[in-house]
Amino acid sequence: MSFLNLFRRLIPRLLLGNVVFFATLALSFADSTLVVEHHDPVESDATLSLSKVVDLTLEKYPDVTWLNSLEEEAAALAQRGNSWTAGASQAGLHFQEATSGTLHYIDAHVQVPLWNLGQRDAEQRTAKLAENSAMSQTAAVKLRVAGLIRAALWDMDLANIGYEQAKADLTLTDQLLTKVQRRVELGDLPRADLLLAQSESLQKRSVVTLAEAELMHTRKRYSSITQITKIPGDYQEKLADILKIQQSHPVLVAINSQIERKQAEVNAIKLVGSGQTAVAVGINSDQFTNDPRSNQTASFNIGVTVPFGGSAHLAPQVAAVNVELNKLIAEREQLSRVLEQAHHEAEHNLEVNRVELGIANELQQVAEDHLKMTQSSFSVGEINLMDLLRIQSRTQQAVLNAKQRAVMLQRDIALYNQAVGVTP
């Protein structure tokens, strides 16, 4: 063999070795630059239950201030209903002096407003319904918080599966890249296959980076909602044995309690009538004088004040509360429709994902068997790298889909429980 021919044979090998070296160096550099430094840590706690997380979240939830004010309002209404008088009592003192300056009259009295017939009972009922409404509002908010936590946990679980699968796909792709590099060095494969394998590896690294970023986003959403960085060790739920939306649903109980309270308020306002009847008790005396015109006596007197003709002034208050009442009734009808729709969607999604999970598991098995056959065929040169990468990508997607469907089924169970009003 001439030196020229030997040179021609060695030069491509040397150049190819440099390509492999620089490609490996580039991949290492890319790996270091794709590491995301921002991390949102979340720790699993086996002693922490889903219901405990909901309770801890509710303690710090922004609606707590509003819920506390509802309880304070109910206590204030109860205090008013338990009062023996219908309002604040009044004390009066009048002093009268004659022009001579020697004759003085003193008049002192106390005026007490009385409850109208049935008014005090109506006020006490309003206070009781306000207390019930406050408790039902708390239950409704707790269910809403549970829904946020359920969604955040399962979103985080799905993101974690995507991240772990992306890392597994990258590992498999890098293993293939190593084999391709070796076969290119040996002259079994063209350099174009090496570039193709490198491109595939870089794409997988990008997927890992994006999957990790999405995982961090879901962790942050969870910690933002709960204000903690721990998750329950087990938060899978059993499917509630409830087939339709019931009147005991916390959201419906909350709106119904508000309606009952407004109805009681309307009745209490009507019983005010034209106002409060008031009884005044007092004394008159002109004993504190030496004037000969004075009788030097003290007298006791009692008076009753009965209001009348006040219906025109009371009507705007009744109308205002009626506006609020009818608005709540309209909201209840709208909520009923929303709840029915949410229940239907949750039920349908549950049925669909049960079927899809079975299909996804079968597809995963078929895809994995196909990939094994394809890998064997590639190793003996029966198919090209492009076909192998296509089948490998399809298999990886099938594996990911099967894992996601399993999680989605558990998520749909939690969302179904949420739809029918089951609080953890």
Side-chain angles (χ1 to χ4, degrees):
M1 180 182 298
S2 66
F3 178 77
L4 183 58
N5 290 334
L6 180 61
F7 182 79
R8 287 176 177 174
R9 293 176 62 88
L10 288 176
I11 286 299
R13 295 291 182 91
L14 292 173
L15 291 176
L16 183 57
N18 288 335
V19 169
V20 173
F21 171 75
F22 285 116
T24 305
L25 180 61
L27 289 175
S28 300
F29 179 76
D31 187 36
S32 64
T33 57
L34 287 176
V35 175
V36 180
E37 296 181 358
H38 177 79
H39 290 279
D40 294 295
V42 170
E43 179 184 356
S44 178
D45 187 351
T47 64
L48 192 62
S49 64
L50 179 58
S51 60
K52 183 61 176 179
V53 172
V54 173
D55 291 336
L56 292 175
T57 302
L58 190 60
E59 291 176 0
K60 304 175 184 177
Y61 204 65
D63 284 354
V64 168
T65 303
W66 166 62
L67 295 174
N68 290 338
S69 67
L70 291 179
E71 295 178 359
E72 293 172 358
E73 180 192 26
L77 291 173
Q79 184 178 8
R80 168 175 163 77
N82 293 331
S83 175
W84 288 102
T85 61
S89 301
Q90 298 179 0
L93 178 65
H94 299 277
F95 175 79
Q96 182 178 354
E97 182 181 58
T99 55
S100 63
T102 59
L103 184 61
H104 309 289
Y105 294 95
I106 297 176
D107 179 14
H109 70 275
V110 175
Q111 182 172 300
V112 179
L114 304 178
W115 292 107
N116 295 336
L117 184 63
Q119 184 185 2
R120 189 186 184 200
D121 291 339
E123 292 285 352
Q124 290 177 339
R125 174 171 170 75
T126 300
K128 183 61 178 177
L129 291 176
E131 182 182 1
N132 294 340
S133 179
M135 291 188 294
S136 63
Q137 297 305 316
T138 300
V141 171
K142 185 175 181 178
L143 177 63
R144 177 155 52 88
V145 169
L148 295 174
I149 294 174
R150 280 165 164 158
L153 283 170
W154 290 111
D155 285 347
M156 188 162 47
D157 208 347
L158 285 171
N160 187 64
I161 285 178
Y163 176 57
E164 293 298 330
Q165 184 62 38
K167 291 194 299 182
D169 293 348
L170 175 60
T171 299
L172 185 61
T173 302
D174 284 346
Q175 291 173 353
L176 178 61
L177 174 60
T178 302
K179 294 178 181 179
V180 171
Q181 286 176 345
R182 182 57 180 165
R183 292 183 63 179
V184 169
E185 291 173 356
L186 296 175
D188 293 338
L189 294 175
R191 186 163 61 94
D193 282 355
L194 175 61
L195 297 176
L196 180 60
Q198 291 171 352
S199 176
E200 185 73 10
S201 179
L202 289 172
Q203 290 178 6
K204 295 299 182 182
R205 289 173 187 274
S206 177
V207 171
V208 170
T209 303
L210 295 177
E212 180 178 325
E214 178 59 27
L215 177 60
M216 294 305 122
H217 292 331
T218 58
R219 287 181 176 183
K220 183 58 180 178
R221 284 197 292 269
Y222 172 80
S223 62
S224 178
I225 293 170
T226 62
Q227 297 296 298
I228 60 176
T229 58
K230 292 185 178 181
I231 63 174
D234 181 16
Y235 44 88
Q236 292 187 5
E237 301 181 44
K238 294 182 179 179
L239 184 64
D241 188 19
I242 302 176
L243 302 180
K244 62 179 182 179
I245 301 298
Q246 300 178 345
Q247 289 301 312
S248 58
H249 194 292
V251 173
L252 292 180
V253 172
I255 193 73
N256 284 328
S257 68
Q258 290 179 292
I259 291 173
E260 291 178 358
R261 174 187 167 172
K262 288 301 177 182
Q263 291 171 336
E265 284 184 19
V266 171
N267 184 51
I269 292 174
K270 289 180 178 180
L271 289 174
V272 172
S274 298
Q276 304 301 146
T277 298
V279 174
V281 178
I283 59 172
N284 300 100
S285 175
D286 60 353
Q287 292 179 331
F288 304 100
T289 178
N290 295 323
D291 194 291
R293 293 171 295 176
S294 173
N295 295 323
Q296 296 292 316
T297 60
S299 61
F300 172 80
N301 58 74
I302 183 172
V304 179
T305 303
V306 180
F308 62 92
S311 59
H313 301 282
L314 192 65
Q317 299 181 43
V318 175
V321 179
N322 265 323
V323 169
E324 297 175 359
L325 172 61
N326 285 283
K327 183 179 179 181
L328 287 171
I329 293 175
E331 288 180 4
R332 179 178 62 185
E333 295 304 315
Q334 184 64 28
L335 275 175
S336 297
R337 298 179 183 183
V338 171
L339 291 175
E340 289 293 342
Q341 181 180 355
H343 173 257
H344 176 267
E345 291 180 357
E347 186 178 34
H348 188 233
N349 289 338
L350 193 58
E351 294 173 353
V352 169
N353 275 322
R354 280 173 176 165
V355 176
E356 285 294 317
L357 177 59
I359 297 174
N361 287 333
E362 292 182 14
L363 184 59
Q364 177 186 354
Q365 185 62 48
V366 171
E368 288 176 342
D369 293 342
H370 190 196
L371 178 60
K372 290 179 181 179
M373 295 175 58
T374 305
Q375 289 171 337
S376 299
S377 299
F378 176 74
S379 63
V380 296
E382 294 180 354
I383 64 170
N384 57 36
L385 180 61
M386 181 67 73
D387 291 335
L388 174 60
L389 290 176
R390 177 173 53 83
I391 296 172
Q392 180 174 285
S393 178
R394 184 184 301 173
T395 302
Q396 292 167 346
Q397 184 59 45
V399 172
L400 175 61
N401 188 48
K403 292 179 180 178
Q404 287 178 331
R405 286 294 175 183
V407 173
M408 290 170 65
L409 182 60
Q410 292 299 323
R411 180 198 63 182
D412 288 342
I413 291 175
L415 295 182
Y416 181 89
N417 292 346
Q418 178 73 22
V420 297
V422 176
T423 304

